[in-house]
Amino acid sequence: MTDTHTVVPVEDTAMLATISNEHSSKIKETESTVTAAKATPADATNNYADINCYDEIEIEDMDYDEDEEKYTYPCPCGDRFEITRIELESGESIAKCPSCSLLLKIVYDPDDFMPDDGEDFELDTAIVVS
């Protein structure tokens, strides 16, 4: 299959400049949208105000699988939304369905998912003298 291109001479250079500027603006707008979509939670500070989610639920309404360390919730497509404990620890608040494009906003307290830093660990330093 061969692409056929038609070359149309543009005699008005002002019109050509306008078309070029409009094209450049659209490219920059698309690039910034893609960059924002690829941003990590740390970069985006989890500002998902502009993302269209199917629903918003409390973390307590989700099922937790201890073996896989992930929370799930039924999706209308028949599969289940998923979000891992690691994602929650990193500040993520959007669960994704692996079978469709729906997203689910999760309401939770990020402090409940702070990684354990070992503060509860106690070392026995007693010396026994016999």
Side-chain angles (χ1 to χ4, degrees):
M1 183 167 145
T2 326
D3 289 335
T4 306
H5 299 284
T6 304
V7 178
V8 178
V10 178
E11 296 174 9
D12 185 355
T13 56
M15 184 168 78
L16 181 60
T18 302
I19 292 169
S20 178
N21 287 338
E22 287 174 2
H23 183 69
S24 294
S25 296
K26 288 184 189 230
I27 289 173
K28 287 178 185 174
E29 181 180 327
T30 301
E31 287 173 346
S32 65
T33 302
V34 169
T35 301
K38 288 182 179 178
T40 61
D43 295 338
T45 61
N46 260 345
N47 184 4
Y48 293 111
D50 59 339
I51 292 181
N52 188 12
C53 291
Y54 163 72
D55 201 357
E56 180 176 301
I57 65 160
E58 301 279 333
I59 190 81
E60 293 83 13
D61 295 332
M62 299 185 82
D63 297 321
Y64 183 66
D65 182 330
E66 289 185 29
D67 294 332
E68 294 188 28
E69 293 189 331
K70 72 178 173 183
Y71 288 83
T72 62
Y73 189 80
C75 179
C77 78
D79 205 342
R80 297 183 70 79
F81 293 102
E82 299 177 349
I83 190 165
T84 65
R85 181 169 182 83
I86 292 172
E87 290 171 323
L88 292 165
E89 288 174 357
S90 69
E92 181 64 59
S93 63
I94 302 293
K96 297 156 193 76
C97 177
S99 297
C100 72
S101 62
L102 292 179
L103 302 173
L104 184 67
K105 170 84 170 137
I106 310 302
V107 179
Y108 72 102
D109 183 359
D111 292 338
D112 292 343
F113 292 91
M114 294 301 293
D116 186 15
D117 57 6
E119 287 181 10
D120 297 338
F121 180 73
E122 291 182 25
L123 182 60
D124 185 6
T125 56
I127 300 174
V128 178
V129 179
S130 31

